[in-house]
Amino acid sequence: MAYSHVLVNCGPTGYKGYKRFYKRTSLESSDYLKDNCLVITGTVGVVKSHIEGPKQYLIPAPPSDIGKHFGELLESENNTDVSFEVDGEVFSAHKVILAARSPVFRAQLFGPMKEKDMQCIKVEDIEAPVFK
């Protein structure tokens, strides 16, 4: 059974629910509903007074050094989830970062080209220092 709930504003504490509920069938058969429309009229009053609100605190944004942080993350190899073998050397990386930066990696690591064993990917035709 569906009910309608009337909300009323009760001042600075926010919205409170009015405790009287109406059955949908009662509302549909009442004079309040005309052509599937419910019109609610009311009066709004504006009171001009000064109300002191909460104090605002300014929090400075951190410096824009995200590139440095990503570089440190790559060098530390913390929480890496994929490795690349290039000329016998193994490089660890993070799948989500690679996928965010490259549509080829996105397809290979998460998309239709995804292989079942994606823990170590062998890369050929490139030298290790260039790959790094």
Side-chain angles (χ1 to χ4, degrees):
M1 189 175 304
Y3 290 92
S4 297
H5 184 193
V6 179
L7 294 175
V8 294
N9 187 344
C10 293
T13 59
Y15 290 95
K16 302 282 185 183
Y18 185 65
K19 294 186 190 255
R20 185 171 172 191
F21 291 89
Y22 296 95
K23 289 184 181 179
R24 181 179 178 158
T25 54
S26 299
L27 184 61
E28 289 174 343
S29 64
S30 73
D31 292 336
Y32 299 115
L33 195 62
K34 302 268 190 224
D35 297 324
N36 287 329
C37 292
L38 176 65
V39 178
I40 300 173
T41 58
T43 304
V44 177
V46 177
V47 178
K48 290 186 176 183
S49 64
H50 176 73
I51 298 175
E52 189 170 325
K55 293 184 179 183
Q56 293 183 355
Y57 298 97
L58 296 176
I59 300 172
S64 180
D65 53 0
I66 193 167
K68 177 184 161 202
H69 291 142
F70 279 132
E72 290 170 356
L73 184 66
L74 180 63
E75 292 297 323
S76 73
E77 298 184 6
N78 287 336
N79 302 314
T80 57
D81 54 1
V82 68
S83 297
F84 294 91
E85 184 184 337
V86 183
D87 274 347
E89 193 172 340
V90 177
F91 299 93
S92 298
H94 303 86
K95 289 180 185 179
V96 293
I97 295 175
L98 294 172
R101 297 291 296 161
S102 165
V104 174
F105 279 129
R106 187 177 312 119
Q108 187 175 18
L109 299 171
F110 297 105
M113 294 172 47
K114 180 180 178 181
E115 296 176 16
K116 290 183 182 184
D117 184 27
M118 259 315 148
Q119 299 299 25
C120 188
I121 300 170
K122 189 166 185 156
V123 179
E124 298 175 358
D125 297 330
I126 192 169
E127 297 174 3
V130 175
F131 183 81
K132 186 175 182 178

